């Protein structure tokens, strides 16, 4: 069994681990939606000299080795590239992660009033244990697109002075029937409605509490009730990510699946200058609901981006696009289920991911007989072992729980369909998909180092 990664660091090394975690913790605290992650990532990239590809196309800019560009897909997904010395068709080194997380989405006709309460109807997004989302302080993040073409950004519940919203639960005194239900039915999807007000508007007869809330929304944001028809507002846990544990060795925060891999991948890429092969980081949306849709990994977005870049570096060539993809190597990065001694029964200990043991490689994921997984080639895994050892990166290998217990998927197979070498990798997480997830600072740091090693040597 591999040694705990903390043990290899002296005080100065630990400080580096903690300093990196601080940047990550701050990123996590303010970026709780895919749109917010794209905006923040673009800002960080532009500081490092990345340019929007749209601008390059419009201005007829040619791309050369060392140039940095990004492709923004509808404000919800992002691909960033540093052009290598070698031609693109030799293949790229790709880091990929997703920036959407489980949450509650506001429905299109959300606002209603019942017994002098104003509530918002929601439709949950991704795999959640519904009972975990009640009696928590919740925040609203998102955008409202108006008919006149303008967009209004909404963030309510994050400043100390902001109000929060939330979902109520039944008192135990009256929960005799509720407590007999299956876990999946203790709180039902249609009951995840968010309480947003209780004070009636004076001199209004009909639905005066709702009228009052709508008046406040109109005053602050200039939004009418109909504007919810074209809005994307996500209900997420309110508050910042925190140091966790008396030794501050861990981080508790919302949306670490998969922003922990997104942030570490992005940070690793942003350090790359003048690589031999083109390096790339993809941050995608919709993984939690199957990677579907225009901003998900199954979209043609990524292939289109490569085609544009090849045209700007060289000449338009569909064959070169295909060769570029086929000759590429990728780390498809997503979180792993960390071994939890309280739930030891679902894990097979020799093939589980542990806190403190560093970056995780999953040769395959899938469920019940590897179904639906990308099973990485042994030869590729061997190369990665060599590179990680060379750079002294602590890593471990894992499966997602016991063989017949369940399973899961990632974006790995979608890129593998383009016939490149892909392996799942990432960071172990405790309480995955819960409103507040936990990671180990040393695993976050080792993973960041692992991504840097990959971009340098593969
Ligand atoms: Mn994930
Ligand atoms: Mn997930």
């Amino acid at each position: 069994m591999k040694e705990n990664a903390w043990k290899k660091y002296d005080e100065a090394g630990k400080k580096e681990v903690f300093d990196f975690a601080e940047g990550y913790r701050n990123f996590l605290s303010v970026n709780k939606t895919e749109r917010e992650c794209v905006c923040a990532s673009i800002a960080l990239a532009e500081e490092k000299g990345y340019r929007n590809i749209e601008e390059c196309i419009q201005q007829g800019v040619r791309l050369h080795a060392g140039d940095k560009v990004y492709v923004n897909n509808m404000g919800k997904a992002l691909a960033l590239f540093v052009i290598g010395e070698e031609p693109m068709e030799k293949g790229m080194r790709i880091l990929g992660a997703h920036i959407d997380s489980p949450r509650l989405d506001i429905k299109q006709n959300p606002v209603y009033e019942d017994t002098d309460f104003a509530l918002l109807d929601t439709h949950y997004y991704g795999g959640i244990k519904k009972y975990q989302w009640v009696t928590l302080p919740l925040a609203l993040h998102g955008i409202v697109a108006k008919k006149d073409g303008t967009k209004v950004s909404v963030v309510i519940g994050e400043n100390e002075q902001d109000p929060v919203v939330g979902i109520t639960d039944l008192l135990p005194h009256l929960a005799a029937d509720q407590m007999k239900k299956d876990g999946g039915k203790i709180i039902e999807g249609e009951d995840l409605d968010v309480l947003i007000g209780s004070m009636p508007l004076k001199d209004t007869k009909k639905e005066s509490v709702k009228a009052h809330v709508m008046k406040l929304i109109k005053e602050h944001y200039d939004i009418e009730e109909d504007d919810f028809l074209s809005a994307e507002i996500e209900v997420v846990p309110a508050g910042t990510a925190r140091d966790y544990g008396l030794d501050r060795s861990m981080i508790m925060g919302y949306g670490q699946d998969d922003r922990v891999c997104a942030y570490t991948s992005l940070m690793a890429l942003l350090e790359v200058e003048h690589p031999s092969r083109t390096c790339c980081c993809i941050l995608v949306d919709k993984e939690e609901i199957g990677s579907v849709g225009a901003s998900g990994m199954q979209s043609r977005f990524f292939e289109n981006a490569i085609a544009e870049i090849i045209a700007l570096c060289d000449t338009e060539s569909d064959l070169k696009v295909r060769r570029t993809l086929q000759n590429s190597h990728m780390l498809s990065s997503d979180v792993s289920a960390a071994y939890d001694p309280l739930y030891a029964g679902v894990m097979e200990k020799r093939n589980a991911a542990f806190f403190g043991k560093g970056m995780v490689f999953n040769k395959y994921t899938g469920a019940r007989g590897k179904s639906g997984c990308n099973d990485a080639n042994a030869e590729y895994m061997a190369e990665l072992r060599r590179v990680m050892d060379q750079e002294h990166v602590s890593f471990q290998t894992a499966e997602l729980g016991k063989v017949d217990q369940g399973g899961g998927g990632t974006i790995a197979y979608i890129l593998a369909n383009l016939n490149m070498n892909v392996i799942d990798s990432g960071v172990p997480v405790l309480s995955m998909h819960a409103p507040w997830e936990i990671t180990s600072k040393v695993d976050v740091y080792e993973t960041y180092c692992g991504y840097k090693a990959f971009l340098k040597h593969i």
Side-chain angles (χ1 to χ4, degrees):
M1 186 147 295
K2 297 215 174 181
E3 205 185 31
N4 193 305
W6 285 112
K7 290 188 181 167
K8 73 182 180 189
Y9 290 108
D10 58 10
E11 287 309 310
K14 273 185 204 155
K15 186 173 181 302
E16 257 180 62
V17 173
F18 273 75
D19 285 350
F20 185 81
E22 200 52 18
Y24 169 55
R25 200 176 61 74
N26 290 329
F27 183 90
L28 210 53
S29 291
V30 291
N31 298 301
K32 296 189 176 181
T33 69
E34 52 287 343
R35 287 178 190 268
E36 289 165 352
C37 287
V38 165
C39 279
S41 302
I42 288 176
L44 289 167
E46 285 183 343
E47 267 175 41
K48 293 274 186 176
Y50 282 75
R51 300 183 63 183
N52 191 335
I53 197 168
E54 291 300 329
E55 200 184 285
C56 299
I57 294 168
Q58 272 167 24
Q59 296 172 6
V61 172
R62 302 293 298 165
L63 294 179
H64 304 98
D67 285 350
K68 300 165 179 177
V69 283
Y70 66 83
V71 187
N72 174 355
N73 188 18
M74 303 176 183
K76 297 178 182 181
L78 186 66
L80 307 106
F81 300 84
V82 192
I83 309 300
E85 304 286 343
E86 302 218 42
M88 291 272 286
E89 63 205 273
K90 295 266 177 147
M92 303 184 294
R93 300 186 186 100
I94 306 167
L95 297 172
H98 69 90
I99 47 177
D100 60 316
S101 295
R103 61 181 190 245
L104 312 175
D105 284 342
I106 297 293
K107 284 187 185 178
Q108 289 206 282
N109 294 303
V111 200
Y112 71 93
E113 174 165 340
D114 193 338
T115 52
D116 288 353
F117 286 122
L119 296 110
L120 287 176
D121 227 317
T122 67
H123 193 141
Y124 62 92
Y125 173 98
I128 62 165
K129 286 170 145 181
K130 288 171 283 226
Y131 65 79
Q132 292 178 333
W133 289 74
V134 296
T135 67
L136 290 175
L138 298 174
L140 304 171
H141 287 233
I143 63 111
V144 179
K146 302 213 293 181
K147 277 201 291 190
D148 64 6
T150 57
K151 261 196 282 191
V152 184
S153 288
V154 177
V155 179
I156 305 170
E158 299 295 354
N159 283 332
E160 280 297 311
Q161 291 78 23
D162 277 2
V164 292
V165 292
I167 300 162
T168 53
D169 194 5
L170 194 54
L171 62 167
H173 317 64
L174 297 178
D177 290 341
Q178 185 195 31
M179 296 311 285
K180 284 188 209 133
K181 290 182 183 172
D182 287 346
K185 298 213 157 149
I186 289 175
I187 303 289
E188 306 232 23
E190 281 300 348
D191 296 331
L192 290 172
D193 291 357
V194 181
L195 179 55
I196 56 166
S198 68
M199 193 197 296
L201 185 66
K202 244 188 154 181
D203 306 323
T204 318
K205 286 225 169 68
K206 216 178 111 225
E207 299 198 313
S208 52
V209 174
K210 174 178 160 180
H212 187 204
V213 171
M214 286 314 306
K215 182 171 173 274
L216 292 171
I217 293 175
K218 171 80 181 161
E219 280 166 12
H220 279 82
Y221 294 99
D222 195 22
I223 299 165
E224 309 280 350
E225 190 177 352
D226 277 355
D227 290 328
F228 282 111
L229 291 174
S230 48
E232 289 175 1
I233 297 176
E234 306 179 8
V235 186
V236 297
T240 56
R242 306 284 293 268
D243 278 351
Y244 193 74
L246 302 183
D247 55 6
R248 297 181 177 269
S249 61
M250 299 169 276
I251 288 179
M252 176 185 247
Y254 164 69
Q256 300 204 63
D257 174 4
D258 183 32
R259 286 166 202 146
V260 67
C261 297
Y263 181 80
T264 43
S265 293
L266 178 68
M267 288 299 126
L269 183 80
L270 294 186
E271 284 183 29
V272 173
E273 303 282 348
H274 293 283
S276 55
R277 298 274 171 86
T278 296
C279 292
C280 167
C281 173
I282 327 172
L283 304 176
V284 286
D285 181 26
K286 299 286 181 279
E287 193 277 341
E288 296 295 356
I289 57 166
S291 298
V292 289
S295 52
M297 194 67 243
Q298 297 197 45
S299 155
R300 288 279 173 272
F301 150 69
F302 186 55
E303 287 167 79
N304 293 349
I306 309 275
E308 294 286 2
I309 287 172
I310 287 178
L312 293 181
C313 289
D314 190 354
T315 49
E316 277 178 47
S317 165
D318 185 50
L319 182 61
K320 283 182 182 167
V321 173
R322 291 191 227 174
R323 283 181 180 155
T324 300
L325 291 165
Q326 171 159 300
N327 292 327
S328 288
H329 288 77
M330 183 193 194
L331 293 183
S332 165
S333 294
D334 209 337
V335 293
S336 269
Y339 182 86
D340 185 340
L342 302 186
Y343 299 97
V346 299
M347 293 290 187
E348 188 268 286
K349 230 173 166 177
R350 267 169 300 128
N351 292 285
F354 292 87
F355 262 35
K357 301 277 164 92
M359 180 177 185
V360 186
F361 287 97
N362 314 87
K363 188 173 180 300
Y364 45 83
T365 57
R368 297 174 189 83
K370 297 191 177 181
S371 178
C373 81
N374 164 63
D375 199 340
N377 291 319
E379 295 88 339
Y380 182 37
M381 184 65 211
E383 259 188 275
L384 289 163
R385 285 173 58 205
R386 173 178 57 75
V387 168
M388 296 303 144
D389 286 344
Q390 187 183 335
E391 293 287 327
H392 308 290
V393 175
S394 297
F395 73 93
Q396 52 186 329
T397 59
E399 297 198 9
L400 186 61
K402 278 184 177 168
V403 171
D404 280 331
Q405 192 60 235
T410 65
I411 62 170
Y413 75 95
I414 304 163
L415 279 299
N417 283 346
L418 300 166
N419 204 26
M420 66 177 77
N421 267 301
V422 182
I423 189 165
D424 278 293
S425 65
V427 177
V429 171
L430 282 176
S431 306
M432 193 197 291
H433 281 211
W436 298 99
E437 301 173 312
I438 304 158
T439 55
S440 158
K441 290 181 180 178
V442 80
D443 298 329
V444 174
Y445 188 73
E446 293 301 324
T447 305
Y448 159 67
C449 294
Y451 294 152
K452 286 201 291 184
F454 166 83
L455 292 176
K456 200 164 151 194
H457 297 297
I458 289 291

